[in-house]
Amino acid sequence: MEAFPIVDLSKINGEERAATMDLIKDSCENWGFFELVNHGISHEFMDKVERLTKEHYKKCMEQRFKEMVESKGLEAVQSEISDLDWESTFYLRHLPDSNINEIPDLEDDYRNAMKEFAKQLEKLAEQLLDLLCENLGLEKGYLKKAFYGSRGPTFGTKVSNYPPCPKPDLIKGLRAHTDAGGLILLFQDDKVSGLQLLKDGQWIDVPPMKHSIVINLGDQLEVITNGKYKSVMHRVIAQTDGTRMSIASFYNPGGDAVIYPAPALLKKEAETKEIYPKFVFEDYMKLYAGLKFQAKEPRFEAMKSIESTAKLGPIATV
Ligand SMILES: O=C(O)CCC(=O)C(=O)O
Ligand SMILES: [Fe+2]
């Protein structure tokens, strides 16, 4: 088994540029995931974000989670639970409109740190999208533009903690899924592991590494690349001891962005290759909301049939 791909982004402007680009390409084609080091976000700042996130969890979230566990009797379950996850989360939206000032219980220094962290991650996401463009042979800025819609991308952060779980085999920290959107940037706990991805039929750990940022690709990049890159199933296994922190930021298309395979990539594909659908991103998200923990293929099929109905519509009424 090859080692989990680790990309040193500081090498992108030096002698090892070509090898680094190749590693990113191989990761996108064969893993759907890679881990970034020397990504330009300062280690001291990441330490601060981690400390404030853990303090916030202790102060505002932990007790609430315990009460939820108790009220649902989850400590004593005897069979697999398939309709909930062993996670404590809250969600911050940054773009197109921030909701961060409306989130209750956030101390000012935490609120400000998360605003700043989002700014830096947004920049990193856009830098990575351009590296993907280069590897795909698409013009610089293509992916950013494809995500833009009328008001720019949707960018948000899901802050999660996975508390110790007495029955990790019966309740998943987060059930297996692919991500719906574009590019995901994850700052995960460097001590407590749990994230796994499905590769060649096997669950593989995404290794915790201090100050790294894990990148993975969502369903929209699979569509735009017409399957050249694939979103990959992943899940979180909660641990019996230790709380795992995870801060996942989703750089997604704007709600009204129209998503479809890049024509430049279709030309290079054999004529017979399957073509992915064209749709408005928020329509995909409506479908995803009910089908997140299922395979992505039926979602793509459903979008295709909506697309063909839309095309057939005017003909049928003539
Ligand atoms: O917590 C993690 O490591 C992953 C979270 C995740 O996959 C998600 O929220 O979509
Ligand atoms: Fe995910």
Side-chain angles (χ1 to χ4, degrees):
M1 175 68 68
E2 323 117 88
F4 189 88
I6 295 167
V7 173
D8 181 344
L9 200 60
S10 68
K11 302 216 162 127
I12 207 69
N13 290 319
E15 277 173 21
E16 290 175 56
R17 183 171 212 280
T20 306
M21 289 302 286
D22 282 349
L23 180 56
I24 295 174
K25 187 176 188 175
D26 182 73
S27 311
C28 291
E29 288 178 359
N30 298 310
W31 291 81
F33 268 83
F34 54 92
E35 201 150 346
L36 267 189
V37 295
N38 297 324
H39 37 64
I41 301 181
S42 106
H43 291 180
E44 293 70 27
F45 182 52
M46 291 182 83
D47 290 343
K48 180 176 176 182
V49 168
E50 176 174 350
R51 176 176 56 78
L52 293 171
T53 299
K54 289 184 172 176
E55 283 174 10
H56 176 265
Y57 173 70
K58 279 271 164 219
K59 197 167 150 225
C60 303
M61 306 291 288
E62 188 176 36
Q63 187 55 30
R64 207 181 305 164
F65 185 80
K66 283 187 177 150
E67 285 164 16
M68 186 281 288
V69 167
E70 201 163 310
S71 72
K72 295 195 152 95
L74 293 178
E75 295 272 357
V77 294
Q78 299 294 334
S79 55
E80 183 150 8
I81 301 283
S82 57
D83 60 352
L84 63 82
D85 305 298
W86 189 271
E87 61 171 3
S88 161
T89 67
F90 65 96
Y91 188 80
L92 305 172
R93 195 180 61 242
H94 315 296
L95 296 173
D97 305 299
S98 170
N99 70 350
I100 204 157
N101 288 334
E102 290 132 49
I103 307 290
D105 305 334
L106 299 186
E107 304 274 354
D108 278 350
D109 53 350
Y110 188 33
R111 211 181 288 275
N112 292 334
M114 292 310 278
K115 277 186 199 169
E116 178 57 31
F117 193 41
K119 255 191 230 155
Q120 298 196 24
L121 287 170
E122 181 192 339
K123 240 175 64 194
L124 181 59
E126 289 176 356
Q127 182 189 1
L128 289 170
L129 285 180
D130 270 340
L131 297 178
L132 265 54
C133 283
E134 190 176 330
N135 272 336
L136 288 160
L138 295 171
E139 78 209 43
K140 195 168 184 237
Y142 182 93
L143 290 171
K144 186 176 170 184
K145 226 154 94 197
F147 282 21
Y148 203 83
S150 63
R151 299 189 62 212
T154 311
F155 188 49
T157 298
K158 181 182 155 203
V159 180
S160 312
N161 280 274
Y162 300 89
C165 178
K167 304 265 172 62
D169 48 336
L170 298 181
I171 313 180
K172 296 281 172 293
L174 181 58
R175 289 161 285 164
H177 63 283
T178 64
D179 292 331
L183 198 68
I184 299 86
L185 307 97
L186 172 73
F187 176 17
Q188 65 164 346
D189 205 283
D190 66 320
K191 291 187 189 70
V192 183
S193 63
L195 177 61
Q196 299 182 325
L197 64 88
L198 190 61
K199 182 166 167 36
D200 306 324
Q202 278 190 317
W203 287 105
I204 297 179
D205 290 330
V206 177
M209 192 190 297
K210 204 165 174 61
H211 300 134
S212 74
I213 292 185
V214 178
I215 305 296
N216 72 291
L217 312 182
D219 295 348
Q220 305 313 305
L221 284 175
E222 177 163 339
V223 173
I224 295 172
T225 64
N226 200 41
K228 201 171 165 66
Y229 294 169
K230 296 225 164 40
S231 61
V232 163
M233 276 276 184
H234 51 284
R235 68 180 186 185
V236 177
I237 303 294
Q239 305 297 307
T240 49
D241 52 357
T243 297
R244 173 174 180 270
M245 176 200 79
S246 114
I247 304 174
S249 297
F250 299 82
Y251 188 99
N252 288 353
D256 65 356
V258 180
I259 301 299
Y260 53 95
L265 298 181
L266 285 182
K267 270 184 239 144
K268 289 181 198 156
E269 304 277 317
E271 295 271 308
T272 51
K273 268 241 171 126
E274 192 193 352
I275 297 183
Y276 281 71
K278 179 176 186 174
F279 51 81
V280 176
F281 179 60
E282 67 193 358
D283 290 341
Y284 189 86
M285 289 311 281
K286 279 182 206 148
L287 184 74
Y288 183 81
L291 300 174
K292 170 169 176 175
F293 298 109
Q294 294 179 29
K296 63 192 163 184
E297 289 79 7
R299 297 198 290 265
F300 293 147
E301 287 308 315
M303 295 319 290
K304 255 189 223 173
S305 62
I306 294 171
E307 184 188 10
S308 51
T309 315
K311 273 187 192 147
L312 283 173
I315 299 167
T317 56
V318 167

